[in-house]
Amino acid sequence: MASALDDILAKHAIIVCAGSGGVGKTTTAAALALRAARSGRRTLVMTIDPAKRLADALGLESLADEPVDVPLPGGGTLAALMLDQKGAWDRLVERHAPNAEIRDKILRNRFYQHLSQSFAGSQEYMAIEQLRALHESGRYDLIVVDTPPTRHALDFLEAPQRLADFLDRSVIRWFVKPYFSASWATVRMFNRTVGFLFRRLEEATGVSALVEVSEFFTAMAGLFENFEPRVRQVYQLLRDPRTGFVLVVAPEEQVLQEAEFFISQIERLGVSLRAVIVNRMHREVLVRGRPPRRQALMTVLRKLRAAPELAEGLAANFDDYQALGRGDMLRVEAFQRLVPRQAALVMVPNLPGDIHSLDGLAALHEYLFSAAA
């Protein structure tokens, strides 16, 4: 019988992995992608997390902004990429600029250069643009997306609308009027409120010449004509039945609180949570359904002729680990009540070290894919 996660991998075209920082989200995304590739699906795993953890998990030295094939012993098609925000913006301009002259003008514009590198939400929006382009290319049966930590993952979901609001055509029309090619002083004469707003824009972007902002929007006008339909397509893609979200957590209190917030928000945003993966679980040992008594452990250690001091130390360590495992399970059981019934819950034990190879990812499959669908 296929496991719950195998079933999810088989039925979806896009899997988005979200979670707090440091819970093993990137490693989990890589392990899911490897499993899908080895099952015969042409798979791409992409990260928009600026940390280079994905390359490390796949045993690669680095990743590029374009898909790089990952050699798989035994067959299968797996590729990986790491989003470069500036490169993705440049490709968007190259795809949609009406001619080479306007393309070059946009790429040289200082306001564009700032927007494409550091504007809030810009990275998340470009990730979704790239995700949409790769999905529509038909090159892959499944794309697994590794997002930044939880609250930024929500930015990932809301970025299309936020950028659409920013680039609203009624706003753009302000910028392309002739007086915006003049100076701040002219703007202030026109409207004190507008002058204040654009002074704040100058402070945020560091672009002091208003004419550059106006030139940017004038040159990009053709591109923005099609922006709203693209945002709608992206919006639909994230809410498509063949797009599923996988939340990766760890059994710590703060992480689970962030996960609760994430679950409440994605429900509000109308996306589908397909699974929750709890990494780094400590397991309490039970014998016939009960934890063994300390005295029983001491008896065994004496029979093994352990020195009294060593036996006491081992028993104390065992007690601490048992308490850790009991606490993990109690927190996860409480958290589980908040997980939508249709979402699978998979627990992965605390492993002795980080994973840096395909073999390591494959070893993780034993735990990820053991729960039946």
Side-chain angles (χ1 to χ4, degrees):
M1 179 182 292
S3 73
L5 285 180
D6 277 319
D7 194 50
I8 290 168
L9 293 179
K11 291 180 177 175
H12 290 79
I14 296 172
I15 298 288
V16 180
C17 292
S20 301
V23 298
K25 174 174 52 63
T26 304
T27 302
T28 302
L32 295 178
L34 176 63
R35 178 76 164 199
R38 286 190 165 162
S39 71
R41 303 201 78 192
R42 297 170 301 158
T43 305
L44 169 74
V45 55
M46 64 177 282
T47 183
I48 58 175
D49 192 335
K52 297 180 179 178
R53 177 68 192 127
L54 180 60
D56 192 39
L58 292 168
L60 302 174
E61 289 190 6
S62 62
L63 290 174
D65 193 37
E66 292 289 339
V68 172
D69 289 337
V70 180
L72 290 186
T77 300
L78 178 62
L81 74 81
M82 184 174 72
L83 180 78
D84 170 55
Q85 181 179 348
K86 178 70 167 58
W89 268 103
D90 289 352
R91 281 196 299 278
L92 182 74
V93 170
E94 288 166 3
R95 275 201 305 273
H96 297 285
N99 57 55
E101 182 184 356
I102 291 178
R103 177 199 64 200
D104 295 342
K105 192 172 183 178
I106 294 171
L107 294 177
R108 287 196 304 269
N109 183 280
R110 283 203 307 152
F111 181 76
Y112 164 77
Q113 290 170 2
H114 180 88
L115 178 78
S116 61
Q117 292 183 64
S118 55
F119 190 81
S122 160
Q123 182 184 23
E124 289 80 6
Y125 175 74
M126 291 316 303
I128 300 175
E129 270 279 348
Q130 189 155 359
L131 173 62
R132 185 182 65 85
L134 288 164
H135 174 65
E136 291 179 352
S137 74
R139 293 166 60 188
Y140 303 103
D141 302 315
L142 174 67
I143 301 174
V144 180
V145 184
D146 168 41
T147 65
T150 305
R151 288 179 189 273
H152 295 295
L154 292 173
D155 290 342
F156 178 78
L157 291 170
E158 294 175 329
Q161 190 56 53
R162 193 162 58 244
L163 206 57
D165 292 343
F166 173 71
L167 298 176
D168 184 275
R169 278 184 294 183
S170 62
V171 174
I172 293 171
R173 281 198 290 272
W174 287 5
F175 288 95
V176 299
K177 287 181 179 176
Y179 49 77
F180 279 112
S181 299
S183 65
W184 292 113
T186 308
V187 171
R188 286 196 196 96
M189 287 176 60
F190 168 72
N191 186 313
R192 285 183 179 277
T193 302
V194 175
F196 170 77
L197 290 174
F198 288 110
R199 177 61 66 188
R200 295 293 300 271
L201 180 65
E202 174 191 325
E203 292 170 359
T205 64
V207 178
S208 58
L210 187 58
V211 65
E212 292 193 52
V213 180
S214 181
E215 282 180 355
F216 165 76
F217 282 102
T218 302
M220 296 281 277
L223 189 153
F224 294 144
E225 284 297 313
N226 296 319
F227 190 80
E228 286 181 13
R230 288 207 307 280
V231 166
R232 280 198 296 274
Q233 290 171 6
V234 166
Y235 184 91
Q236 290 166 0
L237 178 64
L238 289 176
R239 289 154 181 82
D240 189 279
R242 283 173 54 78
T243 297
F245 280 69
V246 172
L247 179 60
V248 184
V249 302
E252 287 97 31
E253 190 70 39
Q254 185 177 351
V255 171
L256 294 176
Q257 285 176 359
E258 288 191 13
E260 289 179 26
F261 175 74
F262 182 81
I263 289 174
S264 67
Q265 294 303 301
I266 65 168
E267 187 174 335
R268 176 180 63 81
L269 293 168
V271 299
S272 302
L273 181 66
R274 300 300 188 196
V276 175
I277 297 173
V278 188
N279 277 333
R280 300 174 185 169
M281 284 289 293
H282 297 88
R283 187 174 69 89
E284 181 185 22
V285 175
L286 299 176
V287 178
R288 298 187 185 93
R290 294 184 176 185
R293 299 172 62 181
R294 182 190 179 97
Q295 189 57 41
L297 178 64
M298 291 297 292
T299 300
V300 171
L301 290 172
R302 284 193 201 98
K303 286 182 179 176
L304 293 173
R305 298 179 184 279
E309 187 176 337
L310 176 61
E312 283 292 339
L314 289 172
N317 189 272
F318 178 75
D319 286 344
D320 290 343
Y321 192 89
Q322 288 284 85
L324 199 57
R326 197 175 309 123
D328 283 358
M329 185 53 74
L330 288 173
R331 284 189 292 276
V332 171
E333 284 176 351
F335 169 74
Q336 189 174 1
R337 300 188 194 107
L338 305 171
V339 177
R341 185 172 296 178
Q342 70 275 12
L345 182 75
V346 178
M347 288 185 265
V348 177
N350 188 42
L351 300 175
D354 291 335
I355 291 174
H356 305 283
S357 67
L358 294 177
D359 288 342
L361 292 175
L364 196 56
H365 290 172
E366 174 188 349
Y367 308 105
L368 285 172
F369 299 97
S370 58

